[in-house]
Amino acid sequence: GVRDVLFLYEENRCSMTYMYEYPEYLKIKLPKKTAKRYPAYELYLYGEGNYAEENKNLLLTGIPVLFLPGNAGSYKQVRSLGSIALRKAEDVDFKYHFNFFSVNFNEELVALYGGSLQQQTKFVHECIKVILKLYRDREFAPTSVAIVGHSMGGLVARALLTLKNFKPELINLLITQATPHVAPVMPLDKYLTDFYTAVNNHWILKAQDLRNLTTLSVAGGFRDYQVRSGLAFLPRLSQHDSALSVVSSAVPRAWASTDHLSIVWCKELILATIRAFFDLIDENTRQITEDPKKRMSVLNHHFVRHPAKIFEENPEAFTELTGAFMWITVKASKWTYSLYNDSDGKYFTFPLASHRKSYSHVYCENSMLDTSSWIYGCVNSNSSMCLEATDLSWRAELLPTTKVVILKLQDYPSLSHIVIQVPPTVGNKYTLDCEFFKEDSRTVQLPVTHLFSFGLSSSKILLNSTGLLYNVQLQHFNQIYQAFKIYIESHCQSLKERKPSVYRLHIPWSHEDSIIVAKVPSFTEISAKLHIAQPENDSRIPELNIYSSSDCQYEVILKTSLLQVLGQIIRFHAGSLPVYIVSNILLTYGGQLSTLISTGQCSDFSLELVRTAKPYKVEPLISIVVFLQGFNWFREIWQSLSLPEVDAAVLSSRDAWFPLVSLILFLFGTGIAYWSGVFFSTSLRLFSSLWLTLIRPTVPQKDKLITPRRLCGVLSLALVSWTTCGAFAVFIVYLQYLFKSVHVFVASVFYFQDSDHSKETSQNSSIHTVKNQSSMDSISEATQSLSNSTIAEAVNSLKMHVTILNLFTWIVLLNLPSLIYWLKNLRYNVRLDPDPCRSTAIIIVCILEILMNSSTSEVKSSKLLKIAAKVPLPLSVAMLAFGRMHLYKVPHFVIFSLLLHVLCCIV
């Protein structure tokens, strides 16, 4: 599954964008108050060559666009947009042009640490004010700024509207690239999840106020394994019709999936964005249009359905067909016309009266990919020609090798003829095809194979007619855990050269189509899986559209792909894997405490994991709670107890929960926990053997748990946590514990060797001494039993330390992002504020300082040991119930369990 997500995707079909002149970034001076409040952040204006030189005095006359980079993103990523916009402006002689600004967020890790998101949002607000001031007193001064946000930059842009003093009219267009709008990819701290909740709730509650803001979200598709495309779809609002979400594989003229970084430089996608920007300009104001309807129609034109025509806001309803062209009537139901170097123009007319009874639809395709009109519907004609017609070219759709029109005859009762215009061509070779057909004859139903068929069975269909278009309906394909491989084999009657076939997987409820162009004849493999499950109120069926060659036969075979099913599980739920791993280790820890009660010995981590970590101990209870939450009475009781909603129920409501997914993730977590335990033990032995070769250790002396020196250590680390960064204090005490464990291991090995040596010495001396034989025997036995029990105690303690260290390794990893963030920003501020783990760090320091100096002998005699051994099981259940979407809660469950262990050492 991991391999499928990280490696098995389509090759990068994007072209790189290049700068024709050297890119320059002009730093914009910010007000002193703003610069002082946000010392790490900066604002830049992008430029190249002469354009950059001209703008150094900041006398700007263009349309402002602000680029916001994402997680660890650079302000220099604006160059692809800025450079292509500059070239496009040159094409129109700078009648219109855009000024691209970019914010430097100091490459902060905001996807992993949410503490600075609010600060970034406020800084962007200040930047917008500064930008608009630069245009003051200009003839066509802008009143708003368009924003392009990559990754978390898109979320920061949406968060602007949650600020109290922000005026919504300051933004009229927002384009986000691979932004996780629905939820964070890794919910590692409370600030991140709270920020998401605030933004999404505001957009739902204030949807009416957002009508003047047009939002486009572009997702990267399956190549982007950092942000899955399902997260990039804006929350659906029935009253909010000014938002559009698309996957890059469905964007016309791009048709390519992008990874998380290439989405900012993918030439095909950037071209679509810049073309849209120029089409959005209002000629009167020379700024982006204030009309929300026009903005949406432009975005639909460039990002959803491109008719292979240059955008027009109000195309003429009727047109006269002029030109001294020859008029030719075609009465056949199927027609093909190829031309090359034709100097005479022609009009081909298809009378509809004779076809309306026999056929329901007409389909035409044209391989000439220019932007001129080519197909008309005649509304007024005489016997020889059409006098007045409506332009049906706007109904066309652009595909990679052709442009196609499908018309339902019933929808056009006033049309007498279809007219195809063939202009004179010089040096161009292209083909036109038209056919009338009945929808039923071209629609074929193909039931998808069951999830548990594991690819052993298949669904098969043979398309044996001579049509140009087929729609294969994939029945019962509606869930995100379904994944299939579709094989299309084409056979042709003759070996002549043909136009390639186009296969489109069309998902009707979201703009996530994928298109493949294949040679004919050929054998093509298509992966079919979803980014978004079918909504409850939607009954439409996904289709495989085959734009075919007329004399070819197509065989379609569909099989379940187990590899891709596992890939979907990882794609949707890999973020919750740490919860399952820690849950397994916590169950093992509880099992070790239980064996300590029953046998007096601490069992080995790997053996105890195999014995204790069973999914049936935790999963059924969560499943029962999720099932009961479907009933109102249970929900009311649950809410009255002030309990948070179970994460699995939230995921089910988002259609992101699979059958058996939790079991698969639990088993995966067991595997990772097992091998992490093996790795830990091996590493400990390795470090210990290295230590033994370098230093002769001393035998550890038994000491009190709490000494003045240790108390000073705890207080100093607590001070470090409070004044700098909690994660830093946790990391120091973790290294201290690791060092202590290695020391204990080395000492026990050395003590074991030393006791063996002393035994040998006592045995040698007993050979020469005969008088005191009985007394020597008793001393030898006593020494041996004492050394054996000491070694056994040391080994038991070491096993317990290894498990606790294993637990805390994952807690350190979950807190690592805030530590990295703090280290990066150390030159601006010594104290991390806000700190997601400041208070928990102080508790962790106290706990670990006691545990690293404890042994199992103290725990064995404790009255609380039975409680401490039973607590990890309910904590594991609670962790899986409430921690999957809130990873920052995981340390709290572990801390509670180890707090009882500390009490066992004392009481």
Side-chain angles (χ1 to χ4, degrees):
V2 172
R3 180 170 164 264
D4 176 68
V5 171
L6 298 183
F7 305 108
L8 302 181
Y9 43 69
E10 66 177 74
E11 77 281 359
N12 192 356
R13 299 212 295 264
C14 283
S15 309
M16 176 62 80
T17 45
Y18 293 99
M19 284 77 249
Y20 289 90
E21 295 171 283
Y22 193 77
E24 291 183 44
Y25 305 89
L26 179 66
K27 191 174 175 182
I28 307 291
K29 193 177 179 183
L30 298 169
K32 283 183 182 177
K33 194 178 175 183
T34 305
K36 192 178 178 182
R37 194 181 296 165
Y38 309 101
Y41 302 157
E42 296 164 324
L43 177 65
Y44 288 89
L45 172 66
Y46 177 80
E48 287 178 27
N50 293 334
Y51 170 77
E53 284 296 319
E54 288 166 12
N55 286 332
K56 278 190 175 171
N57 55 8
L58 293 178
L59 298 171
L60 306 176
T61 56
I63 301 163
V65 181
L66 179 61
F67 176 78
L68 305 180
N71 178 54
S74 167
Y75 66 94
K76 293 181 180 180
Q77 288 172 312
V78 73
R79 62 184 176 267
S80 295
L81 283 162
S83 183
I84 287 181
L86 186 59
R87 303 280 85 82
K88 179 85 173 166
E90 285 176 354
D91 289 347
V92 294
D93 295 324
F94 283 92
K95 183 184 177 184
Y96 313 113
H97 71 278
F98 288 86
N99 301 127
F100 275 85
F101 297 85
S102 185
V103 173
N104 178 15
F105 284 136
N106 194 29
E107 299 185 9
E108 290 178 338
L109 297 170
V110 282
L112 305 174
Y113 168 73
S116 64
L117 282 166
Q118 197 65 33
Q119 196 178 359
Q120 285 192 1
T121 308
K122 288 174 180 175
F123 179 73
V124 172
H125 184 200
E126 296 302 319
C127 286
I128 291 170
K129 291 181 198 170
V130 169
I131 289 166
L132 291 175
K133 271 184 187 176
L134 294 173
Y135 295 87
R136 195 183 284 167
D137 304 326
R138 300 286 183 274
E139 187 184 352
F140 297 102
T143 56
S144 61
V145 174
I147 295 182
V148 178
H150 172 241
S151 188
M152 294 298 285
L155 191 75
V156 168
R158 284 180 65 215
L160 284 166
L161 297 148
T162 64
L163 299 176
K164 284 181 183 177
N165 56 346
F166 184 79
K167 297 172 184 174
E169 57 270 20
L170 290 178
I171 316 173
N172 57 10
L173 178 68
L174 169 60
I175 297 176
T176 67
Q177 302 170 323
T179 297
H181 292 293
V182 178
V185 176
M186 292 286 281
L188 289 168
D189 66 58
K190 197 173 188 298
Y191 305 116
L192 195 57
T193 53
D194 287 353
F195 189 81
Y196 264 91
T197 305
V199 172
N200 285 330
N201 285 350
H202 182 88
W203 276 59
I204 290 165
L205 296 170
K206 306 278 184 176
Q208 293 291 343
D209 302 343
L210 303 175
R211 286 204 157 184
N212 289 325
L213 170 63
T214 304
T215 313
L216 168 70
S217 173
V218 184
F222 290 110
R223 274 187 67 85
D224 188 350
Y225 52 78
Q226 291 182 48
V227 175
R228 63 176 177 84
S229 296
L231 291 177
F233 277 67
L234 289 156
R236 293 171 186 231
L237 307 168
S238 55
Q239 71 272 35
H240 191 199
D241 54 1
S242 57
L244 181 65
S245 302
V246 297
V247 178
S248 62
S249 60
V251 174
R253 301 170 85 171
W255 297 299
S257 178
T258 62
D259 60 56
H260 197 63
L261 288 178
S262 71
I263 200 165
V264 298
W265 56 254
C266 178
K267 187 178 177 181
E268 290 76 8
L269 210 52
I270 300 298
L271 281 169
T273 308
I274 297 302
R275 286 179 189 129
F277 270 131
F278 274 86
D279 283 342
L280 285 164
I281 297 169
D282 185 329
E283 287 191 11
N284 298 321
T285 62
R286 300 219 171 174
Q287 295 294 324
I288 286 175
T289 178
E290 294 297 319
D291 181 2
K293 285 186 178 177
K294 183 186 173 180
R295 291 200 295 259
M296 277 308 287
S297 59
V298 168
L299 294 179
N300 274 298
H301 178 95
H302 288 282
F303 288 91
V304 178
R305 186 189 178 96
H306 198 295
K309 281 182 71 64
I310 293 164
F311 177 79
E312 289 178 34
E313 189 177 356
N314 296 306
E316 289 181 15
F318 299 103
T319 183
E320 288 183 15
L321 299 179
T322 56
F325 287 6
M326 189 190 298
W327 289 81
I328 302 166
T329 304
V330 180
K331 293 184 178 180
S333 61
K334 189 174 180 182
W335 169 81
T336 299
Y337 185 73
S338 297
L339 67 160
Y340 178 63
N341 275 348
D342 195 346
S343 57
D344 300 322
K346 296 181 181 71
Y347 285 120
F348 290 94
T349 65
F350 299 81
L352 296 180
S354 58
H355 294 302
R356 286 187 187 276
K357 288 181 182 178
S358 308
Y359 305 105
S360 62
H361 289 70
V362 61
Y363 167 84
C364 291
E365 63 182 27
N366 184 350
S367 64
M368 177 65 130
L369 301 181
D370 62 351
T371 56
S372 57
S373 295
W374 61 283
I375 183 167
Y376 303 89
C378 188
V379 289
N380 184 9
S381 63
N382 60 24
S383 56
S384 60
M385 64 174 69
C386 182
L387 302 174
E388 195 177 31
T390 179
D391 190 353
L392 296 175
S393 305
W394 293 104
R395 306 282 178 193
E397 184 175 9
L398 182 66
L399 295 174
T401 59
T402 185
K403 48 190 179 185
V404 302
V405 176
I406 304 167
L407 302 172
K408 191 176 182 181
L409 298 179
Q410 196 179 330
D411 294 344
Y412 301 92
S414 60
L415 300 187
S416 61
H417 295 75
I418 296 287
V419 180
I420 302 280
Q421 181 182 359
V422 180
T425 57
V426 179
N428 288 322
K429 183 180 181 181
Y430 66 100
T431 308
L432 290 150
D433 292 278
C434 280
E435 68 167 341
F436 291 85
F437 65 90
K438 267 190 175 178
E439 189 179 20
D440 298 347
S441 66
R442 298 299 166 79
T443 304
V444 187
Q445 293 176 339
L446 183 69
V448 298
T449 49
H450 196 270
L451 178 69
F452 297 111
S453 64
F454 302 117
L456 300 172
S457 62
S458 63
S459 285
K460 194 183 289 187
I461 206 156
L462 192 66
L463 307 172
N464 206 9
S465 76
T466 56
L468 296 170
L469 171 72
Y470 296 100
N471 296 320
V472 181
Q473 292 186 338
L474 306 175
Q475 290 181 306
H476 318 301
F477 178 33
N478 50 22
Q479 297 297 330
I480 50 171
Y481 56 79
Q482 294 174 298
F484 307 99
K485 279 187 177 176
I486 300 172
Y487 304 98
I488 305 172
E489 192 170 2
S490 55
H491 303 282
C492 301
Q493 293 169 5
S494 59
L495 297 171
K496 66 177 184 181
E497 188 185 340
R498 287 179 182 77
K499 64 180 177 64
S501 292
V502 177
Y503 308 133
R504 173 165 66 179
L505 183 66
H506 174 58
I507 311 300
W509 55 80
S510 63
H511 302 297
E512 55 175 281
D513 295 7
S514 54
I515 291 178
I516 288 176
V517 179
K519 291 178 182 177
V520 180
S522 66
F523 183 81
T524 309
E525 183 184 307
I526 299 171
S527 289
K529 48 198 173 190
L530 299 172
H531 295 293
I532 287 186
Q534 186 177 27
E536 282 181 17
N537 55 354
D538 200 316
S539 59
R540 290 172 292 177
I541 300 168
E543 288 182 340
L544 175 66
N545 305 135
I546 299 176
Y547 301 92
S548 58
S549 292
S550 57
D551 62 339
C552 294
Q553 191 182 70
Y554 292 82
E555 187 179 31
V556 181
I557 301 166
L558 182 142
K559 288 182 179 180
T560 296
S561 172
L562 180 63
L563 185 71
Q564 292 185 58
V565 169
L566 293 172
Q568 287 290 81
I569 291 172
I570 295 299
R571 182 172 284 108
F572 279 81
H573 298 288
S576 60
L577 261 175
V579 184
Y580 287 92
I581 297 162
V582 176
S583 175
N584 272 282
I585 299 170
L586 201 58
L587 287 171
T588 308
Y589 164 74
Q592 284 180 317
L593 291 179
S594 298
T595 56
L596 207 60
I597 297 167
S598 57
T599 63
Q601 302 293 320
C602 182
S603 56
D604 188 61
F605 176 82
S606 301
L607 295 171
E608 196 57 46
L609 179 77
V610 172
R611 190 182 73 83
T612 317
K614 303 292 183 190
Y616 58 76
K617 290 183 179 180
V618 291
E619 290 300 331
L621 189 61
I622 297 169
S623 300
I624 289 164
V625 170
V626 171
F627 172 74
L628 289 172
Q629 279 196 333
F631 299 99
N632 288 330
W633 61 269
F634 186 81
R635 268 205 306 274
E636 285 168 12
I637 295 167
W638 192 267
Q639 285 163 4
S640 66
L641 295 169
S642 300
L643 289 168
E645 201 171 356
V646 177
D647 288 351
V650 178
L651 290 166
S652 293
S653 68
R654 291 182 189 165
D655 297 315
W657 199 241
F658 310 178
L660 302 177
V661 68
S662 199
L663 174 65
I664 292 165
L665 289 170
F666 190 93
L667 296 174
F668 194 14
T670 309
I672 295 171
Y674 179 87
W675 288 108
S676 68
V678 170
F679 173 76
F680 235 94
S681 304
T682 311
S683 302
L684 211 59
R685 284 193 180 91
L686 201 69
F687 284 126
S688 304
S689 60
L690 192 68
W691 188 313
L692 271 170
T693 55
L694 298 172
I695 305 161
R696 181 182 172 83
T698 54
V699 176
Q701 298 297 315
K702 190 69 188 158
D703 204 352
K704 287 182 180 178
L705 277 175
I706 301 164
T707 62
R709 188 181 171 185
R710 283 168 195 162
L711 205 60
C712 285
V714 169
L715 290 171
S716 59
L717 281 172
L719 192 68
V720 166
S721 173
W722 195 257
T723 56
T724 59
C725 170
F728 182 53
V730 170
F731 189 66
I732 291 170
V733 79
Y734 171 75
L735 290 177
Q736 197 183 335
Y737 198 158
L738 201 63
F739 176 81
K740 185 84 178 178
S741 298
V742 171
H743 183 62
V744 169
F745 189 86
V746 169
S748 62
V749 170
F750 176 75
Y751 190 64
F752 179 71
Q753 290 172 349
D754 209 39
S755 63
D756 275 1
H757 178 69
S758 62
K759 265 193 278 179
E760 283 176 30
T761 309
S762 65
Q763 283 168 4
N764 289 337
S765 61
S766 66
I767 293 167
H768 301 292
T769 312
V770 181
K771 287 181 183 178
N772 300 322
Q773 184 68 45
S774 59
S775 62
M776 284 301 294
D777 282 349
S778 61
I779 290 166
S780 179
E781 281 170 22
T783 307
Q784 190 175 344
S785 63
L786 183 68
S787 66
N788 284 345
S789 64
T790 310
I791 291 161
E793 199 57 58
V795 170
N796 282 338
S797 298
L798 196 65
K799 285 175 180 175
M800 191 55 76
H801 286 318
V802 166
T803 305
I804 293 167
L805 263 174
N806 208 343
L807 267 175
F808 268 99
T809 301
W810 289 97
I811 288 174
V812 168
L813 287 173
L814 290 173
N815 288 323
L816 208 55
S818 60
L819 175 62
I820 295 165
Y821 180 90
W822 173 73
L823 288 169
K824 268 191 98 173
N825 289 273
L826 203 53
R827 67 180 187 271
Y828 301 110
N829 209 333
V830 175
R831 191 173 194 254
L832 179 65
D833 192 36
D835 188 345
C837 58
R838 182 168 286 134
S839 49
T840 52
I842 294 166
I843 300 165
I844 287 169
V845 164
C846 297
I847 288 170
L848 286 194
E849 199 67 53
I850 293 169
L851 289 182
M852 72 174 75
N853 297 295
S854 69
S855 67
T856 48
S857 57
E858 294 143 351
V859 178
K860 271 189 223 175
S861 56
S862 175
K863 295 171 185 176
L864 295 171
L865 185 57
K866 283 187 178 178
I867 299 166
K870 285 175 182 174
V871 160
L873 177 59
L875 284 177
S876 290
V877 175
M879 195 189 295
L880 289 181
F882 305 114
R884 273 186 279 228
M885 292 173 65
H886 308 83
L887 291 178
Y888 60 87
K889 290 181 180 177
V890 170
H892 304 158
F893 297 108
V894 176
I895 287 166
F896 184 78
S897 190
L898 293 178
L899 204 57
L900 285 172
H901 192 131
V902 169
L903 290 172
C904 288
C905 296
I906 299 164
V907 180

